[in-house]
Every structure is written in C-alpha cells, then in structure tokens.
C-alpha cells in the first residue's frame, strides 16, 4: 500500500485495535446483530441468542460503556430496561453487513433467508465496497497510505478536488492529530 505504512507496533495509531477492543469477540457481534433486528430487552437477548446470563450481562454493560447501546427504563414499565442502539452503534451497520457478506461468500454454503434488501424496491443490497470520493470502486491495489499533510496531493504534484455528490464529514480528534475525514454519498 505504498511507501508509508501504519505504525504497526502502536495500538493507538489506528482505529482497528480500538474497534476490536470494543467488538472483538463473538457475543458482542451477536448482540449487535440482535439489536439491528429489533431486540431491546435482556430476556429477549437471552432467549433468542442462547447466551449465558452472566456473559450477556457483561457484554451489554461493555456495549453500554462504550456508547454503542443506550440503557434506559421502558416507557410503559419503568421496572424493565431497554437497550437501544446509539448513533455510534448504528455506525457499525456497514461493518456488520460487510462481515455478513464475507461470511456468506466464504462460509459453508450459507443460504441467505431472509434476504437483506433495499426498502424502496425490495431488491438485495449490493456488496459493501471501498468507494473513492468520486464513486469509483477500489481494490487493495488502489489504496495507499500518505502523511496527513499530503492528503489530496497527487504523485505528479497536482492537487485533487472533491467530486460532486460526496460530502465530507469532519471530526476533530481533540488530541492534536489531523482531523478524521470520511466521504459519504
């Protein structure tokens, strides 16, 4: 991926170790999948997932602690607790779908039923892909790490312009590092 590499020995220099710290085991993913499927209550998770009570309690607390799920009393019965996906939790949906699609492609003959479709036309969604700012599909051969100061500077010295149709989401890191930019269509 080019001349520059991520500092592989520094666990804080990349978002992947942080994500794995939060989500890096099976039950967290299964709870998240259940949440995307509309489960909200401890007993629902327990019954549907077949998970041990102590493991479920631990994983729910972790997901709440990391801001992926929100824990609130039910509106109709304040004694019951609901676990709802936060915006941070909803942002994991593309990663979950990508992992699901990978498992379907390389798993042991997984037949998808029910099928995940686009609500508008009820046709199956496309595979999750890496997309350039201008909509081009990218492969690993198209990717390269560059220093934050060189983002947008082409190899020939010209400066790239953002394509129409994509907005940039900028989040300040708050620690003096370069802000995070993400392209969204």
């Amino acid at each position: 991926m080019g001349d520059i590499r991520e500092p592989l020995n520094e666990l804080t220099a990349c978002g992947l170790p942080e994500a794995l710290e939060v989500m890096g085991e099976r039950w967290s993913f299964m709870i998240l999948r259940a949440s995307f499927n509309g489960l909200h209550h401890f007993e629902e998770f327990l019954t549907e997932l077949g998970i041990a009570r102590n493991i479920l309690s631990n994983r729910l607390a972790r997901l709440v602690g990391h801001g992926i799920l929100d824990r609130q009393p039910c509106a109709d019965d304040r004694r019951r607790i609901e676990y709802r996906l936060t915006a941070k939790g909803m942002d994991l949906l593309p990663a979950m779908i990508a992992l699901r699609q990978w498992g379907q492609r390389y798993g042991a003959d997984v037949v998808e039923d029910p099928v995940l479709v686009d609500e508008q036309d009820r046709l199956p969604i496309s595979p999750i892909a890496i997309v350039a700012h201008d909509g081009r599909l990218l492969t690993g051969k198209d990717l390269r790490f560059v220093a934050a100061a060189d983002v947008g500077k082409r190899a020939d010295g010209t400066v790239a312009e953002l394509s129409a149709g994509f907005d940039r989401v900028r989040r300040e890191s708050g620690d003096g590092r370069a802000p995070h930019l993400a392209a969204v269509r």
Side-chain angles (χ1 to χ4, degrees):
M1 285 198 188
D3 301 330
I4 296 178
R5 263 185 15 181
E6 292 178 286
L8 300 176
N9 62 345
E10 296 181 25
L11 295 180
T12 59
C14 171
L16 184 58
E18 173 68 21
L20 290 175
E21 184 68 29
V22 176
M23 296 298 303
E25 54 81 37
R26 177 179 187 249
W27 287 118
S28 292
F29 282 102
M30 296 299 98
I31 293 167
L32 188 61
R33 181 181 74 161
S35 295
F36 284 125
N37 276 276
L39 272 61
H40 303 294
H41 305 285
F42 187 92
E43 295 300 325
E44 290 175 321
F45 291 117
L46 197 64
T47 302
E48 293 283 332
L49 298 177
I51 184 175
R53 184 175 289 277
N54 62 326
I55 294 173
L56 176 58
S57 180
N58 177 281
R59 297 312 185 271
L60 285 171
R62 269 183 80 124
L63 292 169
V64 168
H66 285 285
I68 293 168
L69 292 176
D70 188 31
R71 183 181 189 276
Q72 296 292 326
C74 291
D76 59 341
D77 182 356
R78 310 271 309 152
R79 295 171 294 176
R80 290 186 72 200
I81 300 296
E82 285 188 337
Y83 295 90
R84 298 269 181 184
L85 288 161
T86 63
K88 186 177 180 179
M90 288 300 294
D91 282 349
L92 284 166
L93 183 59
M96 293 288 294
I97 292 171
L99 284 170
R100 178 186 179 133
Q101 290 174 345
W102 183 89
Q104 288 167 336
R105 183 171 182 179
Y106 296 106
D109 297 321
V110 175
V111 177
E112 185 181 13
D113 190 13
V115 177
L116 187 59
V117 298
D118 170 1
E119 173 64 24
Q120 180 177 315
D121 58 19
R122 300 286 174 106
L123 292 173
I125 63 169
S126 296
I128 299 294
I130 304 168
V131 181
H133 69 96
D134 59 3
R136 291 175 293 119
L137 292 180
L138 304 176
T139 68
K141 294 177 183 175
D142 300 313
L143 303 176
R144 171 179 304 276
F145 284 110
V146 298
D150 294 331
V151 170
K153 295 178 188 172
R154 295 188 182 107
D156 66 5
T158 60
V159 177
E161 295 290 326
L162 290 177
S163 296
F166 279 82
D167 296 321
R168 289 291 186 178
V169 177
R170 180 179 292 265
R171 281 186 243 137
E172 299 301 325
S173 62
D175 60 3
R177 294 181 302 170
H180 170 74
L181 293 174
V184 293
R185 196 179 240 181

